[in-house]
Amino acid sequence: MRLSALRSFTLTALVATSACTALLDTEALNVEGVGDGGARDRGLRDGRARDAGVGGDRGVVADAGRDGAVPRAQLTLTAPSGAVLTEMNVTGPALTGTAIIFTLRNSGTAATAGVPAPTLSNGANFEVVANNCAAALAAGASCTLSVRPKATANGPYNSTLRVVSSTVSSNALTLGGTASGIVAAPVLNLSAATGATLDQMDVASPGPTGDAIIFTVRNTGSTAMASAVAIELGSPTHFLVEDNTCTTALADGATCTFSVRPTAAANASYESGLEVRVGTQVSNALNLSGTASGFAPALTLTPGTAQTGMNVTPAANPGAAVSFTVENTGTAPTAVIPTVVRAPVANFDVVNNTCTAVLVVGATCTFDLKPKATVNQLLDGTVEVTAGSGIRTASVKLGGTASGFAALSLAMTPATRTGMDVSGPATTGTAVTFTVVNNDPTTTAVAVAVAIVGNTASAFRVVDSATDCIGADLAPAATCTFQVEPTASANEALSATMTVGDATLGSNTVTLEGSASGF
């Protein structure tokens, strides 16, 4: 009865529990005789009757029996006897603790499908430092791996450790510990004032600076800085550091401030990186940028009033110099070198000119003007300075007199004319235009007279122009014109002398030459 009941209990348990992974070996059962106190269960023969289930958290049982079951691997992870897995501590100044060697055993009936891989849920505070499980693990075989704690800051930490091979996973072990005595390096944090717009640090003419922004440096580490912070700007040309209170080493948690102000002297776009540094410790970087606008050069010329009395005589030619100063009173450098423009060029020389480079804001250069002449005349002119498109000084009036020169003051061009030909059957040739200039400033007007003499004087005919030059009163510095055309009726050489002048100033003589042919 006892044997029947035991077999009935075993079959019932097998049906009711699908997770059961080992069959009871009924062949191993032995019933004692009556003399031994009845039929007793003496266990499994040769020690085979053991608990084949999961003992504690021993991992996934992939194969627990025989009698046709598929062979499978079963991974079990254990720590050394006496190891306290929740006290894997780190004590500063070291940043790692003592490693623990774990044993991984394949207690299944088949080798693992792949190489067992240890996994840690907290890789920041635990690391595998030695792994002998470098190949598939045969059934019944074992390997070891070492795990140690690590930390960069004081405080508690924990993790789970398990080993996985293909679809088979070991039991999970809980690791934990506490870090203490770690001295963290200072950590620099750089921030701008609330609401500050770092990409609009602009400068408007006349500048030279824009609005400043206040920045705060904070030591967020657990130790004091070794020295004061160094402020580093990628473009110090366009940004100025002001009101710097970061002149001493910062304690942990302490702050200091400084201001950065944009600066510019010309229209431009600019940008710069900004960070602070203590030795090798560098803060986060901020980017600054802005635009300068409205800048332009402006030139002034001194003296700015008319300069009279710039006289010339034969003994003092050129005349006395007048000095001028050019200044850039604008808000930007000149784009080009300033140029002195004077008119007429023939009567004024530029000397001692120092305007040979671009003129920056507020800078000056100088030059001298000297009057010159070769005949008696009024010296009327102007001078100004230019420096590119739209940049020029006001024009200054120049005036003086050239007197005492022996040359005739009544000038005429051309002084000689040849080739005044006539081709028959036409009786006239091409007319030549002559210009008369009154260069004498001491007279009010002259009466221009023209006389033609010579063997063929009758071959040249004077034609007055619309300016009524001949016989008219020609004012000082005024001009008039008339024409002379050749005429003939027979083949001959044409030659004559033409005199132009007046009774007061004298006259100029012009030779006229040509030929008549084809008659």
Side-chain angles (χ1 to χ4, degrees):
M1 290 297 295
R2 292 182 61 191
L3 179 60
S4 299
L6 178 59
R7 288 185 176 183
S8 175
F9 170 78
T10 301
L11 292 176
T12 302
L14 286 174
V15 173
T17 307
S18 61
C20 184
T21 59
L23 296 175
L24 183 63
D25 188 352
T26 58
E27 296 293 331
L29 293 177
N30 185 19
V31 179
E32 296 185 40
V34 174
D36 292 330
R40 291 195 300 270
D41 180 2
R42 299 183 62 186
L44 294 175
R45 232 181 0 248
D46 300 328
R48 286 180 296 169
R50 296 185 179 90
D51 181 8
V54 177
D57 182 7
R58 297 191 59 192
V60 177
V61 179
D63 180 20
R66 293 187 298 266
D67 298 336
V70 177
R72 294 184 180 178
Q74 177 181 336
L75 300 180
T76 303
L77 185 63
T78 59
S81 176
V84 182
L85 302 188
T86 57
E87 294 183 8
M88 297 179 69
N89 302 326
V90 175
T91 303
L95 300 180
T96 58
T98 304
I100 293 180
I101 300 176
F102 294 87
T103 299
L104 178 69
R105 185 179 302 278
N106 182 1
S107 56
T109 58
T112 60
V115 177
T119 61
L120 287 161
S121 63
N122 179 3
N125 289 111
F126 292 92
E127 60 183 351
V128 176
V129 293
N131 183 7
N132 296 320
C133 302
L137 200 60
S142 64
C143 61
T144 61
L145 57 101
S146 297
V147 176
R148 72 179 179 186
K150 60 179 181 176
T152 57
N154 298 323
Y157 43 79
N158 57 70
S159 177
T160 57
L161 169 66
R162 70 173 66 241
V163 180
V164 178
S165 176
S166 186
T167 59
V168 178
S169 173
S170 76
N171 54 302
L173 299 178
T174 299
L175 314 181
T178 302
S180 61
I182 295 177
V183 179
V187 179
L188 306 180
N189 177 264
L190 179 63
S191 61
T194 302
T197 308
L198 302 187
D199 60 351
Q200 295 181 17
M201 299 184 70
D202 302 330
V203 178
S205 176
T209 61
D211 295 333
I213 292 178
I214 298 175
F215 293 86
T216 299
V217 181
R218 183 182 299 276
N219 181 0
T220 60
S222 60
T223 59
M225 296 180 182
S227 61
V229 298
I231 302 169
E232 297 183 350
L233 277 166
S235 176
T237 301
H238 286 289
F239 295 95
L240 303 174
V241 176
E242 301 175 339
D243 304 324
N244 182 14
T245 66
C246 301
T247 56
T248 58
L250 287 179
D252 55 304
T255 63
C256 63
T257 61
F258 62 89
S259 298
V260 175
R261 187 182 299 275
T263 180
N267 298 329
S269 295
Y270 41 81
E271 62 179 351
S272 175
L274 171 66
E275 61 187 17
V276 294
R277 176 188 299 271
V278 175
T280 60
Q281 300 296 318
V282 183
S283 74
N284 54 304
L286 301 178
N287 190 62
L288 317 179
S289 62
T291 302
S293 59
F295 289 85
L299 299 182
T300 59
L301 186 60
T302 305
T305 57
Q307 297 302 296
T308 60
M310 298 181 71
N311 303 324
V312 178
T313 64
N317 186 25
V322 175
S323 295
F324 291 87
T325 298
V326 183
E327 182 178 3
N328 182 0
T329 57
T331 56
T334 60
V336 297
I337 298 172
T339 301
V340 179
V341 180
R342 83 279 190 194
V345 173
N347 290 127
F348 298 96
D349 277 339
V350 178
V351 296
N352 303 324
N353 185 9
T354 66
C355 298
T356 57
V358 168
L359 210 57
V360 300
V361 175
T364 61
C365 62
T366 60
F367 64 90
D368 295 341
L369 279 184
K370 286 187 175 183
K372 63 179 181 177
T374 57
V375 296
N376 298 326
Q377 65 181 106
L378 292 177
L379 302 176
D380 289 328
T382 58
V383 63
E384 64 180 5
V385 178
T386 64
S389 177
I391 309 300
R392 63 178 61 240
T393 66
S395 179
V396 176
K397 179 74 173 174
L398 308 175
T401 301
S403 60
F405 290 89
L408 294 174
S409 296
L410 186 63
M412 185 182 66
T413 57
T416 300
R417 182 63 184 182
T418 61
M420 297 182 71
D421 303 330
V422 179
S423 299
T427 59
T428 59
T430 302
V432 175
T433 299
F434 292 87
T435 301
V436 182
V437 181
N438 181 1
N439 287 323
D440 193 335
T442 62
T443 59
T444 57
V446 295
V448 179
V450 177
I452 300 176
V453 297
N455 293 334
T456 58
S458 61
F460 296 96
R461 183 174 61 187
V462 176
V463 181
D464 200 358
S465 66
T467 59
D468 296 325
C469 186
I470 300 174
D473 291 336
L474 189 61
T479 63
C480 66
T481 61
F482 66 91
Q483 293 181 324
V484 176
E485 63 182 12
T487 179
S489 58
N491 298 331
E492 62 179 327
L494 308 178
S495 177
T497 299
M498 181 174 69
T499 300
V500 180
D502 92 313
T504 302
L505 299 180
S507 61
N508 290 339
T509 299
V510 177
T511 298
L512 308 177
E513 293 182 352
S515 64
S517 61
F519 289 96

